[in-house]
Amino acid sequence: MNDAPIGIFDSGVGGLTVARAVSAQLPRESILYIGDTARSPYGPKPIADVRRYALEILDTLVEQGVKMLVIACNTASAAMLRDARERYDVPVVEVIGPAVRTAMSTTRNGRIGVIGTDGTIGSGAYQDMLEVNARLEVFARACPAFVDFVEAGETDTPRVLATAEEYLAPLRHAGVDTLVLGCTHYPFLEGAISYVMGEGVSLVSSDTETAKDVYRQLVSRDLLAGPDAVPRHVYEATGASADDFVRLAHRLMGREVRDVRLVQTGAIDLPAPRA
């Protein structure tokens, strides 16, 4: 069981940031990643549809024998976290709670901004968790085009910067000193976001905070891979083209992709990181 993979799920390629962070902190762990690229983006979709899609993917991961589920999608976390924890016998880690805890400990003036998809911001999940602390003021803003940019591999163009200026101006004017990137796609746009917000604003990214939570859960449950474990990373996509997924993953992650294998489920087998 300890050498079983960690199952990571996202609506598309954004969750690769979480997979990268988990791999960096836990290099002996195997990872099974599914990106639901056929139905991405989740943000504009009805919550009921997101819940159904997400549970279908998580069922697939559990059937493949994962030892932990990581919902690396903020929209899905907001839509069905409680369902997932009741449905599965393996531990379930999500991306909202870890980022909220870090934002609370990071802010100096108590003014926190949150950006995410329409679904995530509309759910109020971040706002509800942050506003438990009465001293905090929360300013939330949906940035739906950000996901489209990342899924298209467009991360550093003038159009991205102009859109960031438009989306983030109200948060900058509100005087937030901490900004939560409430979507795992958004770290790919961190350069533009940081430039627009300015040096005085701390960015909280859910990928690294979630990886820390994965580590804590594995240790506390005695589920860490053994010292002789050989990590294997398998990436799956529901979209029509394995090549499209690999090209985008290569562009965004900077990894050399070799020995790509497309199977019936859309699995894309990428090499484990070199030691």
Side-chain angles (χ1 to χ4, degrees):
M1 177 63 175
N2 283 34
D3 290 343
I6 298 168
I8 301 178
F9 148 68
D10 184 50
S11 61
V13 298
L16 291 172
T17 59
V18 175
R20 175 176 58 188
V22 169
S23 180
Q25 293 194 31
L26 295 157
R28 289 200 302 268
E29 298 292 338
S30 292
I31 291 172
L32 174 55
Y33 178 95
I34 297 183
D36 193 10
T37 50
R39 297 178 289 200
S40 180
Y42 279 6
K45 292 181 169 58
I47 289 294
D49 288 346
V50 171
R51 179 183 177 277
R52 177 167 57 86
Y53 299 157
L55 290 174
E56 286 176 4
I57 299 295
L58 295 180
D59 283 351
T60 300
L61 286 168
V62 170
E63 287 166 5
Q64 295 185 69
V66 300
K67 65 180 178 182
M68 169 183 280
L69 292 168
V70 180
I71 308 172
C73 174
N74 286 263
T75 306
S77 293
M80 44 66 74
L81 176 60
R82 181 176 299 178
D83 297 301
R85 286 184 168 155
E86 292 175 354
R87 186 181 182 97
Y88 307 112
D89 293 330
V90 298
V92 179
V93 172
E94 47 80 37
V95 290
I96 296 176
V100 164
R101 291 192 293 272
T102 300
M104 285 181 168
S105 64
T106 299
T107 185
R108 303 172 302 282
N109 68 6
R111 300 169 75 84
I112 296 176
V114 179
I115 56 175
T117 65
D118 288 321
T120 298
I121 300 303
S123 75
Y126 276 100
Q127 298 93 307
D128 291 345
M129 291 182 71
L130 286 165
E131 288 170 352
V132 167
N133 187 329
R135 79 176 183 88
L136 299 179
E137 288 185 85
V138 182
F139 303 86
R141 179 86 161 137
C143 305
F146 281 175
V147 171
D148 296 332
F149 282 136
V150 173
E151 291 287 334
E154 184 178 350
T155 58
D156 57 357
T157 64
R159 194 163 64 131
V160 170
L161 186 58
T163 303
E165 291 273 8
E166 178 186 347
Y167 281 154
L168 301 176
L171 301 180
R172 192 175 62 242
H173 295 153
V176 304
D177 74 347
T178 302
L179 179 66
V180 178
L181 308 186
C183 176
T184 49
H185 286 69
Y186 293 0
F188 290 120
L189 305 177
E190 195 167 325
I193 293 169
S194 179
Y195 177 81
V196 171
M197 294 305 297
E199 294 181 1
V201 177
S202 300
L203 303 187
V204 175
S205 177
S206 55
D207 53 352
T208 53
E209 303 310 319
T210 300
K212 294 173 188 175
D213 216 30
V214 168
Y215 182 90
R216 284 191 290 267
Q217 289 280 347
L218 291 178
V219 170
S220 66
R221 296 169 184 266
D222 195 25
L223 287 173
L224 283 173
D228 298 325
V230 178
R232 186 166 179 266
H233 293 182
V234 176
Y235 294 79
E236 298 181 355
T238 61
S241 172
D243 289 343
D244 288 347
F245 183 94
V246 170
R247 275 195 296 269
L248 185 53
H250 189 193
R251 176 186 172 117
L252 295 173
M253 305 295 288
R255 288 180 177 173
E256 181 184 355
V257 179
R258 307 181 306 276
D259 303 322
V260 176
R261 178 173 57 89
L262 179 64
V263 299
Q264 224 171 9
T265 60
I268 302 166
D269 201 353
L270 302 183
R274 293 174 179 168

